[in-house]
Structure formats: structure tokens, C-alpha cells
Amino acid sequence: MTTAPHGLSRALLAAFGLATAVDLVSLLAGAEPGHQIAKPLLMPLLAAYAVTRGAPRQLTAALLLGWGGDVFLLSDADGAFLVGMGCFAAGHVCYLVLFGRRHTSPALGALYAAALAGTVLLLWPDLPADLRVPVACYSLLLTAMAYRASSLGLLTGLGGALFLLSDTLIATGIAEWPRLPAHDFWVMLTYIAAQYLLTAGTLRAMYGERRTTV
């Protein structure tokens, strides 16, 4: 598969790193305009980088659906949260198609299943009634993605686990559980790291070291 010049790839990855820094620093500083500007840039830049490295279509689609979710979750409009969650759910389907039927540890699957059951049971009473079923269904899909991500290696496995952690932090916020200090910072840090590791791990697994910058 043809890839773009390394200079373009490096420039896009550097731009992604800069947008990441602006977003995270803005969250720590309470500078909401910085977050509003930087967050929608993250996934398009990462997707563009992935395309220059010969990314599979499913990876590019997952990242762009993540961008859609990011944009909708910035909005306070009625229904925006559910639409954003739907975008992420579609992205997880893309990841699952990408991972295919490669072997994954049954023991790891049992661990993820236990984590899913425990998290949903604990959160259920504290979630708004109209979000309980959507959150439970989304959690099942997300957990399946996180589990299957390990089939491509350590990097993608860590990416899937961090994605699960990030969205669990969001769910605990919706349930109005006690929040970590700088809660939104930790949500975004784990999310950005997850998407980057899923991208880098996929490129490394499919095309080797020569096409991947990690």
C-alpha cells in the first residue's frame, strides 16, 4: 500500500501532539475556549496521519467517527450526548471489524466480562432512567472492542483498555459519583492516549515498524 512522504506524516503527528498539549493544558487551566478549539482537531489530525501511513479504511473510519463523537459531546443541545455516544459506538464496530477473528486470550475475556458486569450493576441505580439501557448497550460494545483490541498486540490492547477507562470515567460523572480532581483532564488524557495507541498499534501490527512512528 502506498504511503505519503515521511515529512508529511511527521508534520501531521506533530500537529496532533500540539493539539493534544493545547487541549490538556486548557483543561488544567480551566481555559474552556482552548478546549473547544483543540478537541475537534484531534481525531482529524490523527486520522490524516494514519492515512499517510497506509491505514486500513476501518481505522480511518473509527477515528473520524470518534471526531463526530467529540464534536457532539461538546454541545449542550438536547440529544447531543446520545448522538455522540452513537458515533463512538459505530467507531467501536469499525474497530471490531478491523480486529477480525484473530486469537485473543479467553482469560482476558473473562476479566473484561467481569469488569463489564460489575460496572453496569454499580452504575445502574445512579444513571438517569433514560440513559440506563443506552449506556449498558454501549458499555457492552466498548468492552468487546477493548477485549478484541489485544488481538493486534500490546499497544492496541493498552489502547482498548484506556478507552474503556476513559468512558467509565464519563459514566461515573453522569451517575454523579465523586469525581477525580481535574476530572475532564483525566477523561481526555486517557481517551487521546487510547486512540493514539489503537492507531499506532494497528499500523505496527499490519505494516511493521517502518511505517509507524511510535
Side-chain angles (χ1 to χ4, degrees), residues 23-209:
D23 189 56
L24 295 178
V25 170
S26 295
L27 288 171
L28 285 175
E32 184 62 20
H35 175 58
Q36 293 280 337
I37 292 170
K39 185 179 180 182
L41 297 176
L42 293 167
M43 291 307 106
L45 288 169
L46 185 57
Y49 162 74
V51 168
T52 67
R53 295 290 87 212
R57 289 190 299 271
Q58 297 95 332
L59 175 59
T60 305
L63 294 172
L64 292 178
L65 285 163
W67 167 71
D70 290 343
V71 171
F72 279 108
L73 292 187
L74 282 173
S75 172
D76 294 326
D78 292 342
F81 178 80
L82 285 175
V83 175
M85 187 165 60
C87 289
F88 283 117
H92 296 324
V93 172
C94 291
Y95 277 127
L96 286 169
V97 173
L98 173 64
F99 301 146
R101 298 188 178 185
R102 295 173 179 85
H103 174 73
T104 311
S105 165
L108 182 62
L111 181 62
Y112 269 120
L116 170 66
T119 301
V120 171
L121 286 173
L122 288 171
L123 286 171
W124 187 271
D126 297 323
L127 290 171
D130 61 331
L131 290 180
R132 287 172 180 167
V133 172
V135 167
C137 292
Y138 175 81
S139 297
L140 175 61
L141 186 58
L142 169 61
T143 304
M145 185 282 292
Y147 165 57
R148 293 295 303 147
S150 64
S151 67
L152 286 186
L154 179 61
L155 289 180
T156 52
L158 287 174
L162 285 173
F163 214 135
L164 182 61
L165 174 59
S166 179
D167 281 5
T168 299
L169 290 174
I170 293 174
T172 59
I174 295 170
E176 298 185 352
W177 285 15
R179 294 188 171 202
L180 293 171
H183 177 86
D184 291 341
F185 168 84
W186 294 111
V187 168
M188 286 304 299
L189 177 64
T190 50
Y191 167 68
I192 295 168
Q195 292 280 41
Y196 174 72
L197 289 172
L198 286 166
T199 299
T202 296
L203 295 175
R204 172 171 287 187
M206 293 192 167
Y207 304 128
E209 296 272 357

